[in-house]
């Protein structure tokens, strides 16, 4: 049986000329739809998780650890004063591959507002950090206030949105930072410093910035005890994902010497990225299992197709059709079923993925509408009913960055088509091995 004949028989299996009540045809259409519907959540999950992970990674690198972070020893002479610290940063900036360096002092403090108190992570950085650092300028959105006030070098602070809600602070309000000061005989005494809120910012990911308080580094040296503080340099390179990042780290280490330990962003955030990766793998694995279960329908559809076409198979075998030719025709039918599922699932999945934020917004409105009705029926006043946020920034990004992973989607398409061939092989092989006489007797 020649290839052309096999293809013609496969065409008749897929697109029969005579319209009739065919169970096999309905079964193939059902298998096709199952494959398409199973691909939709897989593509959406893959796109959304990629976008979320990329957005979180961008914020961790740009706003927290930078590309490289050099942890300075507390006894280093380079951190005695703010000007000396800045000169040390400028010296490190001369290292090959380094584009920018920012001195940073971090300490844990107790922040007190009008009524409440909470722990805070104080980050002391250059006053113009929101202007000269691209990540700070683009990834932070100003909720209230004016960042220009922060750069004036007074006792002003920029705080995270979550912290402002806890302490009930607005721009212009004053709050207290309570830190510890080491006195004689290593006695620890509290030190209270008052700051005025210049602006309230949000990165859209509260797990990262919920308790951040930014104050100018020169103000910190002048008014806050730094006995228990940590000193570091945030080092930017041309590309955080460059394979030569380790080489840049070596160049930095040659300048810092024994005064600092230098780490890459992946080392500083190893636990977070391991968590991101494991979550993505688990979600994608579950979605792949759904596709695998849906593909079994193709095998059932091919079995039914073989049973309906026994007479045609018998005639072809009687006229000299080969076993491999018959098998090949049914494999093409199974592949066509998988291809049809891909043609349905791919555009629908991409459409849902691109409009993920709009869909979440609509879903939030529906959930809140039903929630309000349910709570009102229970007698809860409308003023006490709080809105539900499906994308709570305390756990996720407040907005999903859409990032379509074309290479991974092409891999999914290829895997789906191969899977369609694999599940079709056994019934197709059995169809090719059937003997004409037994087929005629069965019919």
């Amino acid at each position: 049986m020649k290839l052309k004949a096999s293809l013609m028989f496969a065409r008749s299996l897929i697109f029969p000329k005579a319209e009739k009540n065919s169970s096999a045809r309905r079964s193939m259409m059902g298998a096709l739809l199952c494959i398409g519907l199973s691909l939709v959540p897989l593509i959406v999950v893959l796109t959304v998780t990629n976008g979320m992970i990329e957005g979180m990674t961008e914020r961790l690198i740009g706003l927290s650890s930078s590309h490289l972070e050099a942890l300075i020893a507390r006894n280093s002479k380079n951190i005695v004063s703010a000007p000396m610290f800045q000169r040390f940063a400028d010296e490190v900036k001369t290292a090959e591959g380094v584009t920018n360096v920012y001195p940073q002092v971090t300490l844990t403090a107790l922040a007190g507002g009008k009524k409440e108190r909470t722990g805070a992570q104080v980050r002391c950085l250059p006053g113009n950090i929101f202007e000269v650092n691209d990540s700070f300028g683009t990834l932070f959105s100003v909720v209230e206030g004016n960042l220009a006030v922060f750069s004036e070098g007074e006792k002003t602070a920029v705080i995270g949105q979550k912290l402002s809600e806890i302490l009930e602070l607005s721009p212009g309000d004053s709050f207290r930072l309570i830190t510890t000061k080491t006195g004689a005989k290593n006695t620890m005494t509290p030190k209270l410093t008052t700051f005025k809120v210049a602006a309230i910012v949000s990165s859209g990911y509260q797990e990262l910035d919920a308790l951040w308080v930014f104050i100018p580094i020169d103000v910190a040296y002048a008014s806050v005890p730094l006995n228990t503080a940590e000193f570091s340099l945030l080092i930017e390179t041309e590309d955080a994902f460059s394979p030569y990042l380790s080489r840049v780290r070596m160049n930095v280490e040659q300048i810092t010497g024994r005064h600092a330990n230098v780490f890459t962003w992946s080392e500083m955030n190893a636990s977070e990225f391991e968590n991101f990766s494991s979550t993505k793998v688990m979600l994608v694995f579950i979605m792949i299992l759904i596709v695998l279960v849906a593909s079994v329908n193709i095998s059932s559809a091919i079995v039914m197709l073989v049973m309906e076409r026994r007479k045609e198979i018998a005639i072809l075998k009687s006229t000299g059709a080969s076993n491999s030719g018959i098998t090949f025709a049914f494999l093409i039918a199974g592949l066509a079923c998988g291809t049809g599922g891909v043609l349905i699932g791919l555009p629908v999945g991409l459409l849902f993925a691109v409009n993920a934020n709009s869909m979440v917004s609509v879903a939030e409105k529906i959930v809140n509408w039903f929630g309000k009705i349910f709570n009102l029926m229970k007698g809860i006043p409308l003023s006490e009913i709080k809105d539900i946020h499906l994308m709570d920034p305390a756990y996720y990004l407040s907005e999903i960055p859409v990032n379509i992973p074309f290479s991974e989607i092409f891999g999914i398409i290829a895997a789906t088509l191969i899977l369609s061939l694999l599940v079709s092989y056994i019934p197709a092989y059995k169809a090719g091995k059937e003997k004409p006489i037994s087929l005629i007797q069965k019919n």
Side-chain angles (χ1 to χ4, degrees):
M1 189 174 185
K2 294 183 179 180
L3 177 62
K4 184 177 180 180
S6 294
L7 292 175
M8 290 179 65
F9 182 45
R11 181 182 177 183
S12 70
L13 295 175
I14 302 168
F15 306 107
K17 292 182 180 179
E19 290 294 335
K20 60 180 181 178
N21 187 17
S22 170
S23 298
R25 186 168 178 79
R26 290 198 301 269
S27 182
M28 287 193 70
M29 290 300 297
L32 184 149
L33 289 173
C34 285
I35 290 290
L37 292 176
S38 66
L39 285 174
V40 171
L42 176 56
I43 292 173
V44 172
V45 165
L46 194 62
T47 302
V48 169
T49 53
N50 265 32
M52 294 288 282
I53 291 173
E54 182 178 303
M56 293 175 182
T57 301
E58 184 180 21
R59 283 159 176 78
L60 283 169
I61 296 174
L63 305 179
S64 181
S65 65
S66 196
H67 303 182
L68 297 170
E69 185 169 0
L71 303 181
I72 314 298
R74 288 177 181 166
N75 60 356
S76 173
K77 62 181 181 180
N78 296 301
I79 59 173
V80 173
S81 64
M84 291 182 67
F85 201 2
Q86 183 60 57
R87 284 196 294 270
F88 186 45
D90 293 338
E91 183 181 352
V92 173
K93 188 177 179 180
T94 61
E96 185 179 356
V98 174
T99 56
N100 277 304
V101 180
Y102 308 98
Q104 174 180 251
V105 180
T106 58
L107 64 152
T108 302
L110 185 67
K114 300 174 182 178
K115 300 178 182 178
E116 300 291 336
R117 291 183 180 181
T118 185
Q121 183 183 14
V122 183
R123 300 183 62 187
C124 315
L125 289 160
N128 61 348
I129 187 69
F130 291 93
E131 300 172 9
V132 298
N133 187 294
D134 292 336
S135 296
F136 275 67
T138 56
L139 298 179
F140 273 126
S141 60
V142 180
V143 180
E144 292 182 82
N146 187 358
L147 291 174
V149 179
F150 179 75
S151 61
E152 294 176 358
E154 299 179 359
K155 284 189 178 181
T156 57
V158 173
I159 63 176
Q161 184 178 11
K162 182 64 177 180
L163 188 66
S164 71
E165 294 172 357
I166 295 173
L167 301 181
E168 299 180 3
L169 296 174
S170 300
D173 292 343
S174 296
F175 70 101
R176 301 173 301 280
L177 281 180
I178 304 172
T179 52
T180 55
K181 181 179 180 181
T182 304
K185 298 181 181 181
N186 292 325
T187 57
M188 304 293 290
T189 56
K191 172 68 182 299
L192 187 148
T193 311
T194 302
F195 288 87
K196 183 179 290 187
V197 178
I200 299 169
V201 297
S202 173
S203 67
Y205 183 36
Q206 284 184 6
E207 188 172 337
L208 182 66
D209 65 8
L211 301 177
W212 280 354
V213 175
F214 296 98
I215 62 175
I217 191 169
D218 52 347
V219 174
Y221 267 92
S223 58
V224 179
L226 304 178
N227 308 81
T228 59
E230 294 183 356
F231 301 83
S232 61
L233 293 174
L234 302 180
I235 303 168
E236 291 184 344
T237 63
E238 294 179 357
D239 182 10
F241 300 93
S242 170
Y244 304 107
L245 190 62
S246 296
R247 184 182 299 177
V248 179
R249 176 174 66 176
M250 293 175 61
N251 296 337
V252 172
E253 288 174 340
Q254 290 179 355
I255 296 178
T256 59
R258 59 183 179 83
H259 296 286
N261 293 318
V262 185
F263 301 93
T264 63
W265 62 267
S266 57
E267 293 171 335
M268 296 295 294
N269 304 290
S271 59
E272 287 86 352
F273 294 116
E274 184 177 349
N275 184 36
F276 293 161
S277 300
S278 60
T279 302
K280 177 183 175 181
V281 169
M282 183 58 66
L283 288 171
V284 172
F285 177 71
I286 293 172
M287 294 299 106
I288 289 176
L289 287 180
I290 296 174
V291 177
L292 181 61
V293 172
S295 66
V296 175
N297 292 319
I298 296 179
S299 180
S300 302
I302 297 298
V303 170
M304 296 186 67
L305 190 61
V306 171
M307 293 174 64
E308 283 193 355
R309 298 302 182 101
R310 280 175 175 168
K311 187 179 292 186
E312 294 180 35
I313 296 171
I315 295 172
L316 289 171
K317 297 276 284 190
S318 300
T319 57
S322 63
N323 294 350
S324 59
I326 298 295
T327 299
F328 181 71
F330 281 99
L331 285 176
I332 293 296
L335 179 63
C337 190
T339 302
V342 169
L343 293 177
I344 292 174
L346 180 61
V348 175
L350 290 176
L351 181 65
F352 283 0
V354 170
N355 295 283
N357 289 301
S358 300
M359 292 173 61
V360 170
S361 177
V362 172
E364 276 187 356
K365 292 178 181 178
I366 295 173
V367 169
N368 284 309
W369 187 76
F370 279 106
K372 287 178 180 178
I373 292 178
F374 179 74
N375 287 315
L376 287 172
M377 291 174 63
K378 291 173 63 177
I380 300 175
L382 185 62
S383 58
E384 296 181 9
I385 301 175
K386 296 182 179 180
D387 287 340
I388 298 172
H389 298 286
L390 298 180
M391 296 302 297
D392 190 339
Y395 309 102
Y396 313 100
L397 292 178
S398 57
E399 185 174 343
I400 303 172
V402 177
N403 176 24
I404 300 176
F406 289 103
S407 58
E408 295 181 16
I409 288 177
F410 287 142
I412 289 171
I413 293 172
T416 302
L417 297 179
I418 293 172
L419 192 59
S420 301
L421 286 174
L422 291 177
V423 298
S424 303
Y425 179 75
I426 293 178
Y429 177 76
K430 289 183 177 180
K433 295 293 287 185
E434 291 280 6
K435 296 180 180 180
I437 295 178
S438 59
L439 288 171
I440 293 172
Q441 290 175 346
K442 291 177 182 178
N443 286 276

